[in-house]
Amino acid sequence: MTVGDGADLLAALVSRGADVEQLRGLDVRALDVALRNLGVSKMGHRMAVRSLLGDGGEHPDGEGGGEGGGSLLAACEVVIVCTHHHDDLAWMIDVLRRHQLVGIVIYDTAVEPLLPAGLASHPRVEVRDKAGALAAAPFFFSVFDYIERAYDLLPPHILFLHGHERAWHQSLAVGELLRLCGRALAADASLEYASLNDQVMPDWVTPGRLDWSTPDGGTSPSMISRVANQWAALSPLLGEGVAPPPRVLCEVHGAQALVARCRALARPRASWARLREFARGIRFHSEADYALEGCFHRIFGEPWERPFVREHLAALLKGQTSELRIRAAAPGAAQGVGPAAFVAAAAAPAAEVAGEEEEADAAAADEDEAAAAAAAAAAA
C-alpha cells in the first residue's frame, strides 16, 4: 500500500470520527490496537497510516524496525531475545509461523551460518548489530541492552535464549519450551521467573566450597566462588550495597529463562544501562562472564537460593527432569494451555517468512478496501 493510499484511508477514518491528534499521541502498541478497533484489519493499511502519523513503523527508543523488519514487534505478547553466533536459526521460521503473538530480537555477530532468507525482514523480527568488538561480549549484553531499549514497551513475557534450538543443557526445542511455558503459567498464573535449562550442576549448590571435581578428574571453581571473586564489581550493579557475597547458591545453571515484564521493571532503566555497559566491557567465557551467569536469577529478583530448585533438587541434580517440565506437570496445568501467545497453531504450509503476515491478512483485504472506499465516498 502506498503513502497516497494511506492518506485516503486516513481521510476515510477521519470521516468516521477518528481524531488524528489523539491517534498521533499513541505509542506503537496502542496505535495498532486503535487502528484495528477502527476496522483497519490489514497490516499493510495500518503500517501506511502509522507512517503518515509519524511513527514510520518503528518502536520508540529504537524498538522495532531493525534491518527492515520488526514493524509488528511492539504488538507481540512474547518476545524471544537471543544472540546469533554460529547457531542455525532455521527453528525461528516455524516458531514465527505457529506463534502469531511471538516476536524475536536477534543480536547478530555476523558469523556463519547466515540468517535464513527473509528472517531479517519479517515484521515480528528485529536484527541488531553485535558484530565487531561487540561479538566478544557475552550473551548478557543482549539481555541488558534489550531491556534498556524496550523498557517502556516490554511485552508481558520474555524468553532469554542463547540462540540454539537445542544444546547439551537444553534438550527441549524452542517450540516445546514455549508450549511448556504456557502450561506452567496455566498452573501458576503468578509465575514470573523460570529457568529454561535442563538440570542443576553440582557446583551451583555447594556452599562453602571453593572448587569441585570435574568429570575429567580436574577441579573447577564453584559458582559461589566465582561470584565472590567478582563481588566488588557486581555488588553495586546488583544493588546489593555493602552486603557480603552470598554464602549459599541454588539455581539451575545456564542463564536461559522465562521472565515476566514486572521483573524487568522492578529495576530502573538506568540499572539495566549500567549492567549493559559492564557486559560490553567483558569477554565471553571470562571469569566476569561466569559470575554474571551465577547472578542471573538474582538480577531478575530471585533469591540466591531459589526455593523451587531446592525443593526439587534431587531430581534436578540427576538430570531426570527440568524446572519447566516439573512446572508444566503441576496440578492445574492440564486444565489449560496458558496465555494465547504460547499456544502453537497447526503447522502452516511452506511460505516466504517475509510475506507471512500479509498472507494472514489477505482474507480481510477486500473487506477493508470496500469499507474505506465507502467511507471516502460518504465523506465526499
Side-chain angles (χ1 to χ4, degrees):
M1 190 176 196
T2 67
V3 173
D5 293 333
D8 291 340
L9 181 54
L10 185 59
L13 292 175
V14 170
S15 72
R16 301 181 201 174
D19 185 329
V20 173
E21 291 307 312
Q22 186 179 49
L23 292 174
R24 185 174 283 120
L26 298 176
D27 61 42
V28 174
R29 193 192 301 270
L31 178 57
D32 196 70
V33 171
L35 291 175
R36 286 179 182 272
N37 290 340
L38 286 167
V40 187
S41 59
K42 189 175 181 183
M43 182 193 69
H45 290 182
R46 294 196 303 274
M47 289 180 67
V49 173
R50 285 166 51 184
S51 180
L52 284 170
L53 292 174
D55 172 67
E58 296 186 0
H59 189 299
D61 301 317
E63 189 67 16
E67 297 179 358
S71 58
L72 291 184
L73 192 64
C76 293
E77 296 297 312
V78 174
V79 170
I80 296 171
V81 178
C82 65
T83 299
H84 172 229
H85 188 75
H86 293 306
D87 289 306
D88 183 355
L89 301 186
W91 59 266
M92 293 184 177
I93 296 173
D94 188 57
V95 165
L96 289 165
R97 285 179 182 152
R98 302 187 68 179
H99 294 268
Q100 298 296 313
L101 296 175
V102 171
I104 303 176
V105 175
I106 305 166
Y107 284 78
D108 187 22
T109 60
V111 297
E112 294 184 349
L114 301 179
L115 299 179
L119 192 62
S121 60
H122 192 284
R124 286 183 282 121
V125 172
E126 181 181 354
V127 180
R128 294 181 177 176
D129 184 13
K130 194 179 176 290
L134 274 179
F139 154 79
F140 303 107
F141 173 86
S142 306
V143 174
F144 305 148
D145 182 73
Y146 170 75
I147 295 175
E148 194 281 330
R149 291 172 61 179
Y151 193 83
D152 291 330
L153 282 171
L154 289 167
H157 293 95
I158 311 160
L159 269 66
F160 292 111
L161 297 173
H162 295 166
H164 41 63
E165 183 172 22
R166 289 184 176 90
W168 67 269
H169 56 81
Q170 178 209 314
S171 60
L172 296 175
V174 176
E176 183 66 2
L177 290 179
L178 284 166
R179 185 183 75 83
L180 292 184
C181 283
R183 293 285 297 273
L185 286 163
D188 179 7
S190 67
L191 179 63
E192 296 175 355
Y193 181 93
S195 172
L196 302 177
N197 286 320
D198 280 353
Q199 69 183 90
V200 173
M201 302 300 287
D203 65 321
W204 283 68
V205 291
T206 311
R209 290 276 302 276
L210 296 181
D211 55 49
W212 67 294
S213 298
T214 58
D216 60 5
T219 60
S220 173
S222 65
M223 182 51 71
I224 202 162
S225 176
R226 294 183 190 272
V227 171
N229 290 341
Q230 301 291 320
W231 192 244
L234 292 174
S235 177
L237 292 171
L238 272 59
E240 300 283 347
V242 296
R247 297 175 60 87
V248 178
L249 182 70
C250 186
E251 168 61 329
V252 182
H253 77 295
Q256 294 194 123
L258 165 71
V259 178
R261 172 172 53 203
C262 61
R263 289 298 183 93
L265 295 179
R267 288 186 177 275
R269 191 174 200 163
S271 176
W272 295 110
R274 289 191 293 271
L275 283 162
R276 176 185 60 197
E277 294 313 302
F278 178 78
R280 185 197 300 273
I282 65 177
R283 297 182 66 83
F284 177 63
H285 280 182
S286 65
E287 283 301 310
D289 179 25
Y290 285 126
L292 267 182
E293 181 184 349
C295 296
F296 192 73
H297 63 298
R298 182 66 171 175
I299 290 171
F300 284 105
E302 291 290 290
W304 288 108
E305 185 177 24
R306 293 184 61 214
F308 183 92
V309 177
R310 177 61 69 184
E311 178 184 353
H312 300 280
L313 188 57
L316 290 171
L317 271 172
K318 294 178 181 179
Q320 296 172 339
T321 185
S322 67
E323 176 177 352
L324 203 56
R325 285 186 175 101
I326 295 171
R327 289 187 180 278
Q335 280 68 54
V337 292
F342 294 101
V343 181
E352 275 299 316
V353 177
E356 175 195 342
E357 299 295 335
E358 285 83 355
E359 291 175 5
D361 283 327
D366 292 342
E367 180 180 342
D368 276 332
E369 291 168 0

